[in-house]
Amino acid sequence: MQEPQIDDALIASHGLSTDEYALILEIIGRVPTYTELGIFSAMWNEHCSYKSSKKWLRELPTKGPQVICGPGENAGIVDIGDGQCVVFKMESHNHPSYIEPYQGAATGVGGILRDVFTMGARPIAAMNSLSFGEPAHHKTRQLVHGVVEGVGGYGNCFGVPTVGGEVRFHPAYNGNCLVNAFAAGLADTDKIFYSAASGIGMPVVYLGAKTGRDGVGGATMASAEFDDTIEEKRPTVQVGDPFTEKRLMEATLELMATGAVISIQDMGAAGLTCSAVEMGDKGDLGVRLNLEDVPAREENMTAYEMMLSESQERMLMVLRPELEAVAKAVFDKWDLDFAIVGETIAEDRFIIMHNGELKADLPLKALSGNAPEYDRPWVETPAAEPLADVPEIDGIDGLRGLISSPNYAAKQWVYEQYDTMVMADSAVVPGLGAGVVRVHGTDKALAFTSDVTPRYVMANPFEGGKQAVAEAYRNLCAVGAKPLATTDNMNFGNPEKPEIMGQFVGAIKGISEAVSALDMPIVSGNVSLYNETDGTGILPTPTIGAVGLIDHIDMLIKGEVRDGHVALLVGETFGHLGQSALLAEVFNREDGDAPHVDLEAERRAGEFIRTNGELITAVTDLSDGGLAVAAFEMAEAAGVGVTLEAGDTPTLFGEDQSRYLVACNFDQAEALMIAASTAGVPITSVGRFGGDQVSFGSSSAPLGELSDVFRSSFAATVT
């Protein structure tokens, strides 16, 4: 087969700039082959090289006494004591999910699960953060159904509980939905596996499913904006098989127990190319591959197709040669492919052979560690104007407006499609606050949450970045968990636009300050740029996934409110309505500044909640919708009414940070008041739970009526 002639159009179609192509010519001293062009395209695209973001990602705090492994591996690792660790990461599958919702979302789940078990951890929990366009948009309903079914279809079949997440709608996502997938697993600290190759002449082994043409060029597609050629990109979306992935996990964990594994890497974005290059680069070795030995499910595949395929459920391993037969027997048992496809070499080369022909011979370091890095021009986001007027609304009318919106209505239509109880260790499932999973065979538990408020980040990237971390911190504290660490999923538009790059820089600075102040270092993550269609970008959406530890399951704060409980507000209320949910949903306004986040106040309030958990029956943090929505959600979950003394709009719907709503008995309330005074934490009685009405000041409505609105509005919008 004759290879295409390399010209300007072909270079551009591979996502390479003229300057980048000139650098390729300088590095290799000749015109690249078609396969080599594809390899450079895969390794130098934004999705794999982080060329626009590396400079700023280095500012993130990534270390701490609890951190075993920070960014740079398949997933981050944090110590949880007793010789155990939690392995976790969040990653995007945005572009594929917009093109082909079911498979895009499903393979996003599959990829993040592989990242976890590649490190030697058995997955125990999954979450997702989903952003869609306005409900009335012609594509939104199809996307919601496809994505939710894809997430559930893959996770349910694989057998991991989905314990948390979030779903939002906004016109900014009309042309580019976001699908961020999170997974966490458990491992022993002395049985962790890394991806750096070691040893010269060691066999490079292909594991798992066969290679096909699905997903060829997927990483390059994910590093570009959408336009009217979107339908042509459908073949770049991978196809997943969760049952094969389940077998791959069991085979991989069994293989690791044999001692045969020197290093191992998931085949994710850019497939065989990226996995081989990363293993060699981290180990300061070269790699030679013989593609005729790669298990293929389609005939006459070219070297270009094999190197760039993103077929799912595949791994690459460097093997101890004396244990080859033992390793092969494991994969034969699980009916999966096991093939030696190359070897490590001493030279800094990436050599690709196919049927005796040399298809690529490149300096390996230039593909990975020495890929281009840009310091993109950026401009700071202008300071937001203060609210021109502060609206007033009847409290119950405002609440009804919020809970009837798909953004704040109950999401049971979504999470009831997910298996939340598989493995039988889920202690708190989706619906209200962080998810909690028991650490099997121990008294410990792990809490998981994902959070971001894109309106805040759009108005004030620095404060919005801080707030995403602070809300994650609050969600963990509200179940009694000590926050341990975070993973980030940085979803932004085109970084070549200075205002977009400014959003990214501001958010990074805010996240950095918050994770440092709250001792929640970033240990893994993902950057997804070019989330634009026809030049219109998404809201900046730096999703924060966070993990916390509950030392003993008895410390879990999980109770429900009861008739007669006192409602206590922890934290100060100033009535901040800028960029609030009330403004957006009820008044159709997105103006004002994001709320300021006092990180010292966050820490004090969170530590107060955790320290006094035995006095607290139920608690939730305050976020979107402020006190009104928090009080209603607590009451509705228990089927008990609530009365708040306040009736004014700023007090009810203000979104000041560092606040929690606590429900407890009168005696407990007195003890909490004394403890709060000692801790220097503001606390006030704001009402009580009981009866069958929701009353804010002089305004009230039956709980049952509001509950019907809350429980039915989401499904009515998307079905």
Side-chain angles (χ1 to χ4, degrees):
M1 176 180 172
Q2 188 172 0
E3 292 194 343
Q5 182 177 353
I6 294 178
D7 55 21
D8 291 346
L10 190 65
I11 294 165
S13 71
H14 279 72
L16 293 164
S17 69
T18 53
D19 287 345
E20 287 169 343
Y21 184 68
L23 181 58
I24 291 171
L25 297 180
E26 181 183 328
I27 288 170
I28 66 176
R30 57 177 170 79
V31 173
T33 66
Y34 182 52
T35 300
E36 289 173 333
L37 182 71
I39 289 170
F40 271 109
S41 166
M43 292 306 303
W44 283 13
N45 68 60
E46 200 73 57
H47 194 72
C48 293
S49 73
Y50 292 175
K51 58 192 177 187
S52 296
S53 57
K54 280 190 288 193
K55 167 185 167 61
W56 296 102
L57 294 176
R58 294 189 189 102
E59 292 199 358
L60 291 169
T62 60
K63 293 180 169 53
Q66 72 275 42
V67 178
I68 295 173
C69 176
E73 277 291 341
N74 288 296
I77 308 177
V78 173
D79 197 329
I80 61 170
D82 304 313
Q84 292 181 299
C85 56
V86 59
V87 180
F88 64 96
K89 187 181 183 184
M90 180 175 272
E91 200 161 71
S92 61
H93 230 221
N94 302 334
H95 284 52
S97 298
Y98 189 76
I99 297 168
E100 178 30 75
Y102 184 94
Q103 291 296 348
T107 51
V109 174
I112 201 68
L113 289 168
R114 282 196 306 281
D115 282 336
V116 167
F117 70 74
T118 301
M119 305 289 293
R122 181 173 291 276
I124 61 163
M127 294 190 298
N128 52 82
S129 178
L130 312 177
S131 303
F132 300 104
E134 58 191 327
H137 189 266
H138 68 279
K139 283 207 70 164
T140 297
R141 193 167 297 180
Q142 172 212 355
L143 289 170
V144 172
H145 281 257
V147 165
V148 171
E149 289 167 13
V151 168
Y154 204 102
N156 295 353
C157 293
F158 180 86
V160 63
T162 299
V163 298
E166 52 187 349
V167 184
R168 70 179 54 85
F169 297 85
H170 191 280
Y173 304 104
N174 280 349
N176 203 128
C177 66
L178 301 183
V179 176
N180 294 174
F182 169 100
L186 283 173
D188 293 335
T189 53
D190 60 351
K191 295 185 178 73
I192 299 167
F193 289 82
Y194 297 100
S195 59
S198 65
I200 297 167
M202 296 294 109
V204 175
V205 184
Y206 174 112
L207 307 169
K210 288 179 166 57
T211 294
R213 291 187 171 93
D214 52 321
V216 172
T220 301
M221 175 273 293
S223 303
E225 296 179 31
F226 284 147
D227 53 28
D228 56 10
T229 65
I230 185 172
E231 287 302 317
E232 299 170 14
K233 295 179 170 68
R234 195 172 298 277
T236 62
V237 178
Q238 313 93 323
V239 177
D241 178 356
F243 298 108
T244 297
E245 176 122 330
K246 176 70 171 175
R247 288 186 289 124
L248 179 61
M249 179 191 72
E250 297 296 349
T252 299
L253 295 178
E254 187 175 330
L255 175 68
M256 289 168 169
T258 68
V261 178
I262 294 175
S263 63
I264 191 163
Q265 174 77 37
D266 161 43
M267 281 197 225
L272 190 54
T273 290
C274 192
S275 56
V277 168
E278 287 191 359
M279 289 175 79
D281 179 53
K282 290 172 186 174
D284 289 321
L285 293 169
V287 174
R288 176 195 297 270
L289 296 178
N290 302 307
L291 297 188
E292 62 271 19
D293 297 324
V294 171
R297 69 168 185 262
E298 299 185 45
E299 294 182 357
N300 302 317
M301 288 189 70
T302 65
Y304 179 95
E305 290 169 331
M306 286 192 197
M307 293 306 297
L308 298 191
S309 168
E310 293 184 8
S311 294
Q312 296 293 285
E313 293 86 42
R314 302 181 301 158
M315 318 272 272
L316 201 64
M317 173 182 72
V318 176
L319 168 76
R320 297 190 189 282
E322 68 273 17
L323 292 175
E324 177 188 336
V326 173
K328 186 175 187 307
V330 171
F331 273 73
D332 287 346
K333 167 188 165 183
W334 289 99
D335 194 25
L336 293 164
D337 279 297
F338 176 102
I340 295 176
V341 296
E343 64 176 349
T344 59
I345 58 177
E347 300 80 19
D348 176 28
R349 308 303 301 172
F350 189 43
I351 299 171
I352 309 299
M353 304 295 297
H354 191 210
N355 296 324
E357 290 185 30
L358 179 66
K359 293 296 184 179
D361 183 358
L362 300 169
L364 188 143
K365 284 285 184 188
L367 295 169
S368 182
N370 297 329
E373 179 177 333
Y374 297 126
D375 185 0
R376 300 279 191 197
W378 62 278
V379 295
E380 192 168 340
T381 302
E385 295 289 333
L387 283 182
D389 61 301
V390 179
E392 280 286 341
I393 190 170
D394 174 84
I396 295 299
D397 288 346
L399 176 67
R400 189 179 280 109
L402 286 172
I403 63 175
S404 63
S405 155
N407 279 315
Y408 303 109
K411 305 297 192 301
Q412 76 272 10
W413 182 89
V414 175
Y415 59 74
E416 285 177 358
Q417 298 186 52
Y418 304 151
D419 191 334
T420 61
M421 298 302 294
V422 65
M423 301 177 75
D425 280 318
S426 301
V428 178
V429 296
L432 188 64
V436 178
V437 174
R438 287 179 289 267
V439 178
H440 196 75
T442 76
D443 292 324
K444 296 180 294 191
L446 289 164
F448 306 98
T449 187
S450 67
D451 297 284
V452 65
T453 307
R455 291 188 315 277
Y456 294 171
V457 188
M458 187 73 176
N460 189 329
F462 178 72
E463 289 295 337
K466 283 167 60 180
Q467 191 275 338
V469 176
E471 187 173 342
Y473 177 85
R474 288 197 300 275
N475 278 333
L476 296 177
C477 291
V479 294
K482 175 180 171 56
L484 289 178
T486 49
T487 180
D488 61 357
N489 206 146
M490 306 292 288
N491 308 275
F492 289 80
N494 184 344
E496 296 168 48
K497 297 177 178 178
E499 64 275 16
I500 300 296
M501 198 64 210
Q503 293 172 351
F504 183 87
V505 172
I508 286 281
K509 289 178 179 292
I511 290 168
S512 297
E513 185 168 305
V515 298
S516 179
L518 300 173
D519 291 333
M520 299 169 68
I522 298 277
V523 298
S524 59
N526 171 244
V527 176
S528 175
L529 303 177
Y530 295 96
N531 288 290
E532 299 202 1
T533 298
D534 295 328
T536 300
I538 60 163
L539 293 181
T541 311
T543 309
I544 298 294
V547 176
L549 175 66
I550 302 173
D551 287 327
H552 196 288
I553 195 66
D554 290 346
M555 298 167 64
L556 171 65
I557 305 173
K558 187 190 175 184
E560 287 188 337
V561 301
R562 295 195 304 272
D563 206 322
H565 271 160
V566 178
L568 299 177
L569 181 60
V570 175
E572 285 192 273
T573 297
F574 304 100
H576 182 96
L577 287 170
Q579 298 298 330
S580 65
L582 182 77
L583 274 189
E585 299 293 343
V586 178
F587 294 98
N588 197 28
R589 291 171 52 180
E590 292 185 3
D591 53 335
D593 199 1
H596 172 71
V597 181
D598 181 336
L599 294 168
E600 281 304 311
E602 284 288 356
R603 190 179 191 111
R604 284 195 303 272
E607 289 176 350
F608 171 77
I609 294 294
R610 297 201 311 273
T611 302
N612 294 281
E614 74 280 358
L615 297 173
I616 297 170
T617 303
V619 59
T620 184
D621 76 303
L622 268 62
S623 55
D624 288 49
L627 176 61
V629 169
F632 168 76
E633 287 184 346
M634 287 182 77
E636 198 275 339
V640 174
V642 62
T643 298
L644 296 180
E645 295 155 5
D648 64 292
T649 298
T651 303
L652 288 173
F653 298 102
E655 295 182 4
D656 307 293
Q657 301 296 293
S658 318
R659 297 188 300 161
Y660 299 81
L661 184 62
V662 170
C664 60
N665 294 325
F666 183 79
D667 290 347
Q668 295 169 319
E670 283 191 318
L672 281 169
M673 293 277 196
I674 295 168
S677 177
T678 302
V681 173
I683 188 168
T684 53
S685 174
V686 292
R688 61 177 179 80
F689 293 94
D692 59 3
Q693 297 285 306
V694 176
S695 301
F696 297 160
S698 60
S699 177
S700 66
L703 174 67
E705 173 200 319
L706 294 173
S707 181
D708 288 344
V709 172
F710 182 59
R711 292 280 164 183
S712 63
S713 293
F714 188 92
T717 301
V718 300
T719 57

